[in-house]
């Protein structure tokens, strides 16, 4: 097949539905061989089914593409390692990793249980770290063997991780962690030929349809950016967070030094407060937390 990703081997996690499914189909349409990972869990992370991944694989093959399913839990070392091994054993290589898997257990902080917090952190954040860790080890070995990869990683954060979202303390914390992980990975893996970016997508999926009922953007609207970031055509973009909603693309600009004052000596608490208030008066207001205006 021809296309911007012709003959690239791409792994997409959480690819049985929603954004992941759209990404897998878009990569296949551009010539990639795709490993379709999905545990087949419910919206709250419960249960498992081989059906969603198998359905996407069948759809890709019906269109003349190449794909294999993977039903392992990528938030476990065994599942993540087997995911990367599936790509290498089946197609002889790995070129692109798209970390997308996740689920929601929304609660206001006063009602959020430890188990609900841990479960979301586990899948969204640890579920990014482990596949990335095993993919990075593979690419480092390839580079040291004289086969430098043209490798790409696309992580999935969220506006909730950048601005916060009322009722989603666990999800927002996990998605903020994905940004930090992306920045570190981009810096550490550049020497091996790996570019690492994160997207903050806004699209109507089963995860967003209740919280954002009026959202019209589709998962398929996000996938073109993901495919480009995951292709060899992306020759230098790394360590970036990019937002995609419908036809709108935005470069998200994160924390950087703003107004500063240096007294040259330790302040009293009252002086520290006075200084901070004067600096805040000269600083930009942060963006509003999603849902903060809800009654």
């Amino acid at each position: 097949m021809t296309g911007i990703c012709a003959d690239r081997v791409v792994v997409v996690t959480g690819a049985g539905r929603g954004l992941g499914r759209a990404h897998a189909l878009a990569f296949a349409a551009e010539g990639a061989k795709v490993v379709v990972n999905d545990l087949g869990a419910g919206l709250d992370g419960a249960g498992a089914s081989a059906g969603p991944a198998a359905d996407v694989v069948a759809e890709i093959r019906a269109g003349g593409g190449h794909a294999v399913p993977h039903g392992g839990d990528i938030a476990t070392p065994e599942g993540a390692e087997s995911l990367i091994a599936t790509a290498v054993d089946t197609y002889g290589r790995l070129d692109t990793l798209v970390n997308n898997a996740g689920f929601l257990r929304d609660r206001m902080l006063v009602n959020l249980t430890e188990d609900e917090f841990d479960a979301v952190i586990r899948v969204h954040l640890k579920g990014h770290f482990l596949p990335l860790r095993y993919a990075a080890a593979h690419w480092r070995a390839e580079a040291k063997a004289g086969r430098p990869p043209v490798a790409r990683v696309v992580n999935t954060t969220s506006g909730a991780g950048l601005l916060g979202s009322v009722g989603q303390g666990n999800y927002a914390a996990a998605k903020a962690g994905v940004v930090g992980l992306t920045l570190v990975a981009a810096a550490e893996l550049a020497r091996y030929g790996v570019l690492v970016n994160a997207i903050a997508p806004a699209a109507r999926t089963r995860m967003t349809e209740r919280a954002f009922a009026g959202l019209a953007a589709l998962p398929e609207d996000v996938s073109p950016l993901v495919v480009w970031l995951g292709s060899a055509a992306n020759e230098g973009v790394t360590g970036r967070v990019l937002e995609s909603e419908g036809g709108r693309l935005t470069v998200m600009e994160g924390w950087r030094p703003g107004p500063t004052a240096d007294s040259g000596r330790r302040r009293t608490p009252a002086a520290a407060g006075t200084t901070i208030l004067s600096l805040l008066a000269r600083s930009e207001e942060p963006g509003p937390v999603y849902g903060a205006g809800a009654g």
Side-chain angles (χ1 to χ4, degrees), residues 86-177:
T86 296
V88 175
D89 293 347
T90 303
Y91 297 119
R93 57 187 295 140
L94 171 64
D95 299 299
T96 299
L97 168 64
V98 179
N99 282 315
N100 169 78
F103 64 83
L104 298 176
R105 289 188 184 174
D106 293 352
R107 296 282 189 278
M108 302 298 280
L109 283 173
V110 295
N111 296 319
L112 183 63
T113 69
E114 183 178 1
D115 286 345
E116 289 166 338
F117 183 86
D118 288 347
V120 170
I121 294 291
R122 174 185 178 274
V123 172
H124 283 277
L125 187 51
K126 192 174 182 181
H128 269 64
F129 160 68
L130 285 172
L132 176 55
R133 181 252 181 269
Y134 285 104
H138 168 72
W139 287 323
R140 181 182 64 175
E142 288 292 287
K144 289 186 173 183
R147 298 183 295 270
V150 182
R152 308 288 183 260
V153 177
V154 183
N155 291 329
T156 307
T157 182
S158 167
L162 304 176
L163 296 173
S165 181
V166 171
Q168 293 189 309
N170 48 4
Y171 178 73
K175 290 306 191 182

Side-chain angles (χ1 to χ4, degrees), residues 189-276:
L189 302 182
R191 72 188 70 179
Y192 306 123
V194 185
L195 305 183
V196 187
N197 294 284
I199 60 162
R204 188 172 181 82
T205 70
R206 64 176 185 155
M207 279 180 58
T208 62
E209 62 184 1
R210 287 185 296 180
F212 301 102
L215 189 60
L218 300 174
E220 291 78 8
D221 298 330
V222 178
S223 298
L225 173 62
V226 175
V227 170
W228 184 85
L229 288 171
S231 74
N234 172 15
E235 295 182 336
V237 178
T238 194
R240 294 288 193 162
V241 177
L242 307 169
E243 188 177 57
S244 174
E245 179 182 353
R248 179 175 60 83
L249 299 177
T250 304
V251 177
M252 303 301 286
E253 297 182 337
W255 295 107
R256 62 186 66 198
T260 302
D262 186 353
S263 68
R265 63 183 185 276
R266 183 183 305 146
R267 294 179 173 87
T268 66
T274 298
T275 301
I276 284 298

